[in-house]
Amino acid sequence: MDETITNETVPRPPKKKKKQPVTWTLLKNQRQLIWMSVPLLLYIILFAYYPVWGWTMAFQNYRPGKSFGEQEWVGFKQFKFLFTDDNFLRVLRNTLAMGIINLVLGFVTAIVLALLLNEIRKVLWKRIVQTVSYLPHFLSWIIVTGIVATSLSINDGIVNIVLMKLHLIKEPILWLSEGKYFWGIVGASHVWKEVGWNTIIYLAAMASIDPALYEAAEIDGANRYRKMLNVTLPGIKPTIVILLIMSIGHILEAGFEVQYLLGNGLVVDWSETIDIFVLKYGLAQGNYSLATAGGIFKTVVSVTLLLMANWTAKRLGEERLL
C-alpha cells in the first residue's frame, strides 16, 4: 500500500541566511575590529601598493635626479629589449629550472617526512626528529651556504670524503665549479633547510583526521602502508592542493641569497636568477628601467600562474584559494 507523504514529512531545505548589509550601526558595533585592522591596512598600503608607483620607470628612460615630468617616456622599449636579450632568456631558464626543482623536491620530501613522522608511535622520538629537522629553518642563508660550501670543499669536504670512501668517485669533484651540479645543489640546500618546517602544516592536517577511519581500515585488513595511502593522503589532500596552488604562484621565486652566495664566475650561466638580474642592472649598472621591467614580468607571470592553478583546481573539483 502506497503511503501518502504529507508536506510535514518532507524535509525542507534550510533557508539561506541573508547577507547583512553594511550600515553605520554595524560599523559602530565592530569599531574595535576596524581599529585593530588599521595598522595592518596601513602596512599593506605603504609596503605593497605604494611602491607600485615605481613601475612607471619601466616605461621611461629613467634618469635619477630628474623629476617625474622630465623623464623620457619610451613605452614598451624596455620589455622589447628584455625579451630579445639572450642574457635575460638564460636567466629566465635558470629561474624556472630551479623554481621547479625546489617545488617538486620541497613538496615530495615534506609530504613523505610528514607521513613517516605520523607513523612514529613513541612521542619522544617523534618530537626529537621533528625538532632536529626544522631547526635549519631558523638559520640564515649566510650560515647555510657556508655549511654547504664547506661540505662540498674539494680538500676536506665531507661529501667528497664519503663518496671516495664508498668508492663512488675516484677523485674529489669541484662541485661549485661545474654548472651541471649547481641546480641540484640549490635544490638539496632548500630541502635540507625547509623540509622540517614544511612538514608542520601537514602534521597539523593529519591530526584532524578522524581516528575512526583508521580503525575501520584496520578492521578491513589494511596494513600501515594501506592506511597511509587510503586514509592519510586523502585526508590531507585539500591541504596539499592549497599549498600547491600557492607554491605554483611563487615558482619564479627560485631564490636570491643561495644563488648569489654560492654562485661564482665559473657557474654564472647556471646560477643567475631574475632577482640577481634585477640587482645587477638596477644597482650595479644603474639601468633602473630595465630592472623594473624584469620585476614587473616576474610579478605578472607569478599572478598568472596562481590564477591558472586556482582555475584548474576549480575545474577538477578540488580546494581552491578564490
Side-chain angles (χ1 to χ4, degrees):
M1 182 181 295
D2 295 336
E3 295 182 359
T4 304
I5 302 177
T6 61
N7 292 332
E8 289 76 6
T9 60
V10 178
R12 296 181 180 180
K15 294 182 179 180
K16 293 183 178 180
K17 188 177 180 180
K18 293 183 179 181
K19 187 177 181 180
Q20 188 176 4
V22 178
T23 61
W24 287 109
T25 304
L26 178 63
L27 294 176
K28 183 179 179 181
N29 294 334
Q30 298 184 355
R31 59 184 180 275
Q32 292 88 354
L33 297 176
I34 295 175
W35 283 113
M36 290 173 61
S37 64
V38 167
L40 179 61
L41 183 63
L42 292 176
Y43 175 84
I44 294 175
I45 294 175
L46 182 61
F47 293 101
Y49 289 100
Y50 180 72
V52 175
W53 171 260
W55 280 13
T56 56
M57 289 191 297
F59 307 95
Q60 302 171 341
N61 188 15
Y62 181 79
R63 291 294 179 267
K66 292 185 178 182
S67 64
F68 179 78
E70 296 175 342
Q71 299 295 337
E72 178 188 359
W73 293 86
V74 295
F76 292 94
K77 177 182 176 181
Q78 305 295 344
F79 292 94
K80 291 179 181 178
F81 175 79
L82 202 66
F83 297 126
T84 56
D85 183 22
D86 293 337
N87 186 32
F88 179 76
L89 297 178
R90 173 179 55 81
V91 168
L92 179 60
R93 179 206 65 181
N94 297 339
T95 306
L96 284 174
M98 285 184 276
I100 293 174
I101 290 173
N102 293 340
L103 174 65
V104 174
L105 290 180
F107 251 85
V108 173
T109 54
I111 294 173
V112 170
L113 180 59
L115 290 172
L116 296 177
L117 285 174
N118 190 56
E119 294 298 318
I120 297 178
R121 295 294 176 254
K122 293 185 180 296
V123 179
L124 178 61
W125 283 108
K126 182 176 181 179
R127 291 179 178 175
I128 291 175
V129 173
Q130 188 175 359
T131 302
V132 171
S133 63
Y134 72 62
L135 278 179
H137 171 78
F138 300 99
L139 300 177
S140 68
W141 275 113
I142 296 292
I143 299 174
V144 172
T145 52
I147 295 174
V148 172
T150 303
S151 301
L152 298 177
S153 175
I154 187 173
N155 296 322
D156 54 355
I158 186 64
V159 175
N160 280 322
I161 293 175
V162 171
L163 293 179
M164 291 183 67
K165 291 291 184 182
L166 296 175
H167 301 288
L168 296 177
I169 58 176
K170 295 180 179 179
E171 58 184 10
I173 297 176
L174 295 170
W175 296 100
L176 295 177
S177 299
E178 298 187 36
K180 61 182 179 180
Y181 299 124
F182 191 82
W183 293 350
I185 293 172
V186 171
S189 301
H190 273 276
V191 168
W192 179 76
K193 186 176 187 296
E194 303 294 345
V195 64
W197 185 260
N198 293 337
T199 59
I200 294 176
I201 190 168
Y202 294 116
L203 290 173
M206 292 176 188
S208 63
I209 299 176
D210 189 357
L213 296 176
Y214 291 102
E215 296 175 1
E218 189 172 356
I219 292 173
D220 289 339
N223 55 25
R224 297 177 70 174
Y225 300 103
R226 299 301 300 180
K227 285 188 286 186
M228 288 169 56
L229 293 175
N230 298 323
V231 179
T232 307
L233 281 177
I236 64 174
K237 184 180 179 182
T239 304
I240 295 175
V241 173
I242 292 295
L243 294 179
L244 181 60
I245 293 174
M246 296 174 64
S247 298
I248 290 176
H250 291 85
I251 200 168
L252 290 183
E253 298 285 346
F256 168 77
E257 297 93 341
V258 60
Q259 289 86 354
Y260 187 77
L261 296 171
L262 290 180
N264 54 66
L266 297 175
V267 296
V268 67
D269 291 338
W270 290 270
S271 64
E272 193 173 359
T273 61
I274 293 179
D275 293 329
I276 299 177
F277 176 87
V278 170
L279 174 67
K280 183 173 74 173
Y281 278 90
L283 295 181
Q285 301 184 14
N287 193 342
Y288 301 104
S289 297
L290 185 62
T292 304
I296 292 176
F297 169 79
K298 176 182 174 182
T299 302
V300 171
V301 171
S302 297
V303 173
T304 303
L305 290 174
L306 178 65
L307 294 176
M308 290 177 60
N310 187 78
W311 179 83
T312 304
K314 180 180 179 180
R315 296 285 294 179
L316 296 176
E318 302 293 344
E319 295 290 334
R320 58 188 186 275
L321 290 176
L322 305 174

